[in-house]
Amino acid sequence: VSPAGAAQAVEETQIFQRTDTHGGVTVSEWVFTFPAVEVGSILEYSYDRHDNYLAFVRPFFFDGGGFTSRGKVTQALPEEMGYQFLCSRCPPGVQPQIRKWSDGPNKGKIYEIEILNLPGYEPEMLMPPRGEVSARMEMVLHSWKGFASEALGRQDSFFVDWPSAAKHAEYYYEKAAKTGVAELRQAVSGWTEGMVEPEQKTRAILRHVQQDFRYIAWHDVVGSSRPVEDLLKDHSADNEEKAVLLHAALAAAGIGSRIALVAGKQLGGFNPGFFGLSQFTHAVVVISGADGSGTW
């Protein structure tokens, strides 16, 4: 929309689809350029997002790269599912408008939030983290009537506290670490050949996990990983997968370890009352010492 109020649409033939594969997950992107943009123009766009992973609804940031006149998100969810809601850095009193939703036999609720007049955010030197200054909506599954969680070993009740979120992540990390054990043990044996001391083995294993596996930049923590056997074949891993691989490799060498989730400062402040993995930025491995201390 021009400063004078004239609207000009992007031609459908100028909207292109691009796919990007990360860790076995294919993400589809739409690429386009607005025509006739000038100072004072308003760029308006909307899109539908389909997500089959409903345990944690992906965070939605309301602002764009520049000043945002209006940011709005509408999230439809099945009626048997209940969510804990967080609107971080939103104006005081902002809560979702909830209404009933139906699509043929499917019924549920729609959560809708609209925020006006938001400053833009562009990462630059000395800029505070986006999560510290930008409004975002997050939702985490609290209850699901009639559904049982394999990871939590219970029905209906899901992420009601931090232990349940941790148990969920631990279950899927350990499940991924139990695959390709024979191949991993053989690789670790080569990495640590001639070494006796556990500290020597640990340093060698860490070095190989860091250097032999191409790092896939990924900014979300979802509490899962590709199987270790896939990581060994592909020689690539994101931050959670690197932790799972390191944890499994240490176990193959007889060294016990645990995986810990870390909340980096780039997401801003940590909210202890919202039990979502989206508040974490990466996973690390900790080896417990005899005196109870940890080597991270």
Side-chain angles (χ1 to χ4, degrees), residues 17 43 67 94 110 135-136 164 181 246 282 287:
Q17 187 175 16
L43 311 180
F67 177 83
V94 169
I110 283 183
R136 72 180 187 272
S164 45
V181 174
L246 177 58
H282 55 289
I287 301 175

Side-chain angles (χ1 to χ4, degrees), residues 15-177:
I15 301 176
F16 307 99
Q17 187 175 16
R18 180 176 66 191
T19 57
D20 180 37
T21 300
H22 157 76
V25 177
T26 299
V27 178
S28 178
E29 299 176 328
W30 296 98
V31 183
F32 57 90
T33 301
F34 283 102
V37 175
E38 57 181 304
V39 174
S41 295
I42 296 175
L43 311 180
E44 184 173 350
Y45 60 93
S46 64
Y47 59 93
D48 293 329
R49 184 181 72 179
H50 302 276
D51 201 336
N52 293 326
Y53 189 66
L54 297 179
F56 305 96
V57 176
R58 192 180 309 162
F60 177 84
F61 282 85
F62 290 90
D63 62 5
F67 177 83
T68 301
S69 176
R70 180 175 71 122
K72 180 180 179 180
V73 59
T74 302
Q75 180 74 55
L77 296 161
E79 64 179 348
E80 63 270 18
M81 303 174 78
Y83 282 81
Q84 182 189 15
F85 170 85
L86 173 68
C87 195
S88 179
R89 304 296 170 185
C90 294
V94 169
Q95 290 295 323
Q97 300 296 314
I98 305 174
R99 66 178 189 273
K100 293 184 178 180
W101 160 79
S102 64
D103 180 13
N106 302 312
K107 296 182 180 180
K109 295 179 180 178
I110 283 183
Y111 296 76
E112 185 174 276
I113 291 185
E114 179 178 275
I115 301 180
L116 305 177
N117 301 327
L118 293 162
Y121 182 87
E122 285 286 355
E124 58 185 35
M125 189 69 71
L126 301 182
M127 191 71 167
R130 188 182 188 191
E132 191 66 52
V133 296
S134 298
R136 72 180 187 272
M137 185 196 78
E138 300 183 50
M139 302 176 75
V140 62
L141 185 62
H142 188 271
S143 60
W144 190 345
K145 187 177 180 181
F147 190 85
S149 166
E150 179 184 359
L152 300 180
R154 64 185 186 222
Q155 181 176 305
D156 298 340
S157 176
F158 282 80
F159 306 107
V160 296
D161 52 22
W162 282 119
S164 45
K167 189 175 182 180
H168 171 90
E170 181 184 38
Y171 176 86
Y172 288 106
Y173 288 157
E174 294 294 343
K175 186 176 181 179

